[in-house]
Amino acid sequence: MHRHGEPLGDTPEDGGWWDLGIIIHDPQFWGQGVGSRALALWVEATLNETDAHVLTFTTWGGNERMIRAALRLGFREAGRVREARLVRGERHDSVQLDLLRREWTPLP
């Protein structure tokens, strides 16, 4: 039971669940590792500067480079909503990935 004034949990302020988003609009920067590096730096900074327990992000199923980058960093697929995204007239799954603090390997 929740009492007035007590934290509900699962918020950044109490060290729970942090969600991120990375958007690289300009195609000239795709496939060059910019998204991978941004994701790694975001994870590293968040885990170094907060008490976050789990990090998540969501992308569309056609964003295979970002999904592979996340998997290389230790993220796991946490959920999939089939055909939830419409990209250039085609249906794609929405894919959520997560990473627990204990699964992170710090950057060199």
Side-chain angles (χ1 to χ4, degrees):
M1 182 169 184
H2 174 73
R3 293 184 184 172
H4 181 70
E6 292 179 352
L8 292 172
D10 290 334
T11 64
E13 292 81 17
D14 68 12
W17 172 11
W18 287 64
D19 193 56
L20 76 105
I22 297 172
I23 299 172
I24 301 173
H25 287 282
D26 192 335
Q28 78 175 7
F29 296 108
W30 297 353
Q32 297 182 28
V34 174
S36 297
R37 186 72 179 144
L39 180 61
L41 291 171
W42 186 91
V43 169
E44 184 86 5
T46 302
L47 294 177
N48 285 343
E49 298 173 18
T50 73
D51 290 333
H53 176 71
V54 61
L55 307 177
T56 62
F57 80 92
T58 304
T59 190
W60 61 289
N63 194 353
E64 295 172 5
R65 289 187 298 255
M66 186 51 83
I67 292 170
R68 281 194 309 269
L71 294 173
R72 281 193 304 272
L73 290 173
F75 280 79
R76 297 181 185 181
E77 186 174 317
R80 185 175 284 258
V81 179
R82 296 176 301 145
E83 300 183 9
R85 301 275 183 102
L86 186 61
V87 179
R88 293 184 286 281
E90 292 186 34
R91 288 280 171 194
H92 294 272
D93 295 351
S94 177
V95 181
Q96 185 177 51
L97 297 111
D98 68 8
L99 175 74
L100 298 176
R101 174 180 286 277
R102 68 178 170 267
E103 298 168 340
W104 175 245
T105 302
L107 296 174

